[in-house]
Amino acid sequence: MKQVLGKRRVISSQRELKALLERVMAKDGDYLVSGPRARKIAYGSGLVGMEIECRETHELKSLFNCPVCGHRLKLVKNMTVFGGTVNLGYRCEYCPYWTGLKRRVPTRYIFTRKSQ
Ligand SMILES: [Zn+2]
């Protein structure tokens, strides 16, 4: 991942990340990665922070797995004054993705190098 980043501090889209990753991997033979795979490699390296830009939809379907990294989502609940709980949404325990009851759909990823 260090090689992929080179001197860059910010990679401003998943497409760019994928291109950079493929260039480095091509040294070991032809290598193609999918966008989501590139994202998982980058974030999983621990060297890169990730910002997720989303748009809201009105879909109210339940989510079980994170659309960003595939890990299980945790239901976020809040206590009400009446002693019950309300569902506020979901958040991922692995990456920064979260969503309210209005589903947030990731539209863009920004990767930043973590300072060491
Ligand atoms: Zn996630």
Side-chain angles (χ1 to χ4, degrees), residues 34-49:
S34 67
R37 175 105 185 100
R39 184 171 78 218
K40 283 174 198 176
I41 291 171
Y43 190 68
S45 72
L47 297 172
V48 179

Side-chain angles (χ1 to χ4, degrees), residues 66-71 73 92-97:
C66 178
V68 176
C69 70
H71 283 71
L73 290 171
C92 181
E93 292 189 301
Y94 182 74
C95 80
Y97 179 79

Side-chain angles (χ1 to χ4, degrees), residues 54-103:
C54 295
R55 64 180 169 80
E56 281 191 344
T57 69
H58 294 279
E59 246 183 290
L60 291 173
K61 216 172 89 185
S62 297
L63 274 181
F64 297 102
N65 292 99
C66 178
V68 176
C69 70
H71 283 71
R72 280 190 75 84
L73 290 171
K74 204 180 152 148
L75 193 59
V76 182
K77 290 183 180 177
N78 206 7
M79 300 290 275
T80 68
V81 285
F82 306 110
T85 56
V86 276
N87 294 345
L88 293 178
Y90 300 88
R91 77 180 159 76
C92 181
E93 292 189 301
Y94 182 74
C95 80
Y97 179 79
W98 62 270
T99 182
L101 291 179
K102 271 187 191 170
R103 173 95 73 91

Side-chain angles (χ1 to χ4, degrees), residues 14-30:
Q14 179 172 291
R15 187 186 299 175
E16 209 181 337
L17 173 76
K18 174 173 145 53
L20 288 168
L21 197 62
E22 284 178 347
R23 192 161 27 166
V24 170
M25 287 176 146
K27 289 172 188 164
D28 306 320
D30 271 344

